[in-house]
Amino acid sequence: MNIKENYPLSSLTTIGLGGPAKYIIECESPAEIKEAINFSREKNLKFYVLSGGSNVVFPDKGFDGVILLLRNKFQAFEVLEQDSDSIILKINAGENWDSFVKFAVENGYSGIECLSGIPGSVGATPVQNVGAYGQEIKDVFVSLNAIDVNTLEEKSFSNEECKFDYRQSRFKKEDKEKYVITDVTLKLSKTESPKIKYPELQKYISENTKYDSTDSLKEKLKIVRESVIEIRKRKSMVIDIHDPNTRSCGSFFMNPVLDEISYQNFLENAKELNPPSYKSGDRYKIPAAWLIENSGFYKGYKYMGVGISTNHTLALVNYNGTTTQLIELANLIRGKVFEKFGLKLTPEPEIIA
């Protein structure tokens, strides 16, 4: 184990906020994860698992405990099964997510190409059922292995056992902080063409690429990946040290999902504004960006050292501010949205107290 003391958390998160952690322990294997958990117990300190740092906000005072920093310096994934139609791969939790997506696309494996450009690690993807442009992890997810932090025993969870929902899983709700995910198993297709469901992506591909003129699956996947990344770049949703808007957690709020009664109440409240919505099953998803923009906020809105991205209303950006300022801005936005529409916005990143 590599142990460091009083390490700045701002250097480990994409939003660049947070004071020092009492201890940082780099873990490169399940055995080292267990050692780190035992270390925290011996010191009588709480611990938090971190890898990509793209979906977490630490307090200005720092973290008076142990950060388990997942790192991979060995083979990051292996093939478990494959045939002419599909391939099943097990990927280590600390592997960079977008690096794995790139690998899949280059090898002609479909199912996650629309999840290109998303920062963070593989192990974080099932926690909040990561999704974008019409794809979600649950659609290709087979299972994961995790360490029970109480017993240090290793346990496997199937797709059904993870209780996936919109940006949710058991690891974000009832089993939060109970397990450390060590690897994830996904099943990808070798034959299925990309399913381009998202209108914005459909429009971009039809206007800017030669997608329909190729029969090559690899070429189609490459076009989708490049298109998704380009769209995300335009919204400052791809990490770029030259773009100050990328000092964020990506989308800061989840889109509210309403049942029929709540949706009709919302329409009655907002009918003059002709609000957009997307039906999924028997529920309705309301774009949080639209709610924010129609509650008095706009791209480029500034609040002390933080603000709203100039390219995407959903991203809250750290220009040169503090976590306290970021939370104040988030609460201001949530309050205005609730006041106008009666809907509660839920933060997508984890806010550490």
Side-chain angles (χ1 to χ4, degrees):
M1 292 191 303
N2 184 6
I3 303 175
K4 300 175 183 177
E5 296 186 49
N6 298 316
Y7 198 90
L9 288 164
S10 59
S11 66
L12 299 175
T13 60
T14 56
I15 198 166
L17 291 172
K22 192 175 185 67
Y23 294 103
I24 292 278
I25 302 180
E26 292 188 8
C27 302
E28 298 179 14
S29 67
E32 289 192 350
I33 291 173
K34 294 176 184 179
E35 284 185 59
I37 293 173
N38 283 329
F39 176 87
S40 66
R41 288 175 177 168
E42 292 168 4
K43 297 287 186 180
N44 197 28
L45 294 170
K46 57 187 175 181
F47 70 88
Y48 182 85
V49 180
L50 184 67
S51 186
S54 62
N55 204 49
V56 60
V57 180
F58 287 103
D60 297 315
K61 65 182 178 181
F63 185 75
D64 188 25
V66 181
I67 297 292
L68 275 64
L69 190 61
L70 299 191
R71 290 287 187 253
N72 275 331
K73 294 183 179 177
F74 47 93
Q75 185 179 352
F77 47 86
E78 63 176 298
V79 176
L80 298 184
E81 295 179 31
Q82 65 175 318
D83 55 29
S84 58
D85 295 321
S86 63
I87 184 168
I88 299 176
L89 300 109
K90 182 169 76 172
I91 313 101
N92 290 327
E95 168 71 8
N96 178 273
W97 170 251
D98 193 53
S99 294
F100 178 70
V101 177
K102 182 183 180 197
F103 162 83
V105 166
E106 288 177 345
N107 283 274
Y109 307 148
S110 66
I112 55 175
E113 56 281 353
C114 291
L115 304 182
S116 294
I118 295 176
S121 66
V122 169
T125 59
V127 175
Q128 63 170 17
N129 184 25
V130 163
Y133 299 104
Q135 289 182 337
E136 291 182 306
I137 280 296
K138 71 177 180 61
D139 300 329
V140 296
F141 182 90
V142 176
S143 64
L144 63 78
N145 289 312
I147 296 171
D148 185 318
V149 301
N150 293 314
T151 65
L152 298 186
E153 294 179 354
E154 297 184 35
K155 183 176 180 179
S156 179
F157 293 86
S158 67
N159 190 311
E160 184 178 358
E161 288 172 329
C162 288
K163 302 179 182 179
F164 291 124
D165 200 351
Y166 172 64
R167 300 299 177 270
Q168 291 287 350
S169 74
R170 68 186 296 163
F171 306 105
K172 199 175 178 181
K173 294 188 289 186
E174 65 264 33
D175 282 339
K176 184 178 179 180
E177 299 179 354
K178 290 184 180 179
Y179 295 94
V180 178
I181 296 172
T182 58
D183 59 67
V184 176
T185 298
L186 305 178
K187 182 177 182 179
L188 305 178
S189 175
K190 292 182 178 181
T191 58
E192 290 187 12
S193 292
K195 295 180 174 64
I196 307 171
K197 306 174 184 177
Y198 203 80
E200 182 183 15
L201 181 58
Q202 289 175 344
K203 185 174 185 293
Y204 181 91
I205 287 176
S206 66
E207 294 178 353
N208 297 280
T209 73
K210 297 180 178 179
Y211 182 86
D212 292 329
S213 65
T214 179
D215 293 325
S216 167
L217 177 56
K218 284 186 180 181
E219 187 62 25
K220 284 181 179 292
L221 292 172
K222 180 183 177 184
I223 290 172
V224 172
R225 173 172 167 78
E226 290 175 349
S227 299
V228 167
I229 290 176
E230 181 57 33
I231 293 172
R232 291 181 65 87
K233 280 182 178 178
R234 293 180 180 185
K235 299 177 180 179
S236 294
M237 291 293 189
V238 176
I239 301 300
D240 181 354
I241 60 173
H242 302 295
D243 182 357
N245 284 301
T246 64
R247 293 191 75 197
S248 75
C249 295
S251 297
F252 198 88
F253 298 107
M254 293 189 282
N255 296 320
V257 179
L258 311 179
D259 58 25
E260 185 67 38
I261 295 175
S262 299
Y263 177 63
Q264 293 303 324
N265 290 337
F266 166 70
L267 284 184
E268 182 64 26
N269 196 20
K271 58 185 177 182
E272 295 181 1
L273 297 171
N274 191 28
S277 64
Y278 306 96
K279 191 170 184 181
S280 177
D282 59 353
R283 298 190 295 176
Y284 298 83
K285 187 183 297 183
I286 312 300
W290 184 91
L291 294 170
I292 294 168
E293 290 170 2
N294 284 274
S295 297
F297 300 94
Y298 51 87
K299 294 174 183 176
Y301 181 95
K302 292 288 183 66
Y303 180 86
M304 293 186 276
V306 298
I308 295 175
S309 168
T310 59
N311 292 321
H312 199 309
T313 321
L314 267 186
L316 301 190
V317 178
N318 167 31
Y319 294 112
N320 190 26
T322 65
T323 298
T324 298
Q325 293 169 1
L326 184 81
I327 301 305
E328 287 176 356
L329 174 58
N331 288 337
L332 178 63
I333 293 171
R334 297 175 74 191
K336 291 292 185 181
V337 168
F338 184 77
E339 180 183 323
K340 185 157 187 177
F341 298 107
L343 297 182
K344 294 182 179 179
L345 290 183
T346 301
E348 190 165 325
E350 185 170 6
I351 313 296
I352 306 298

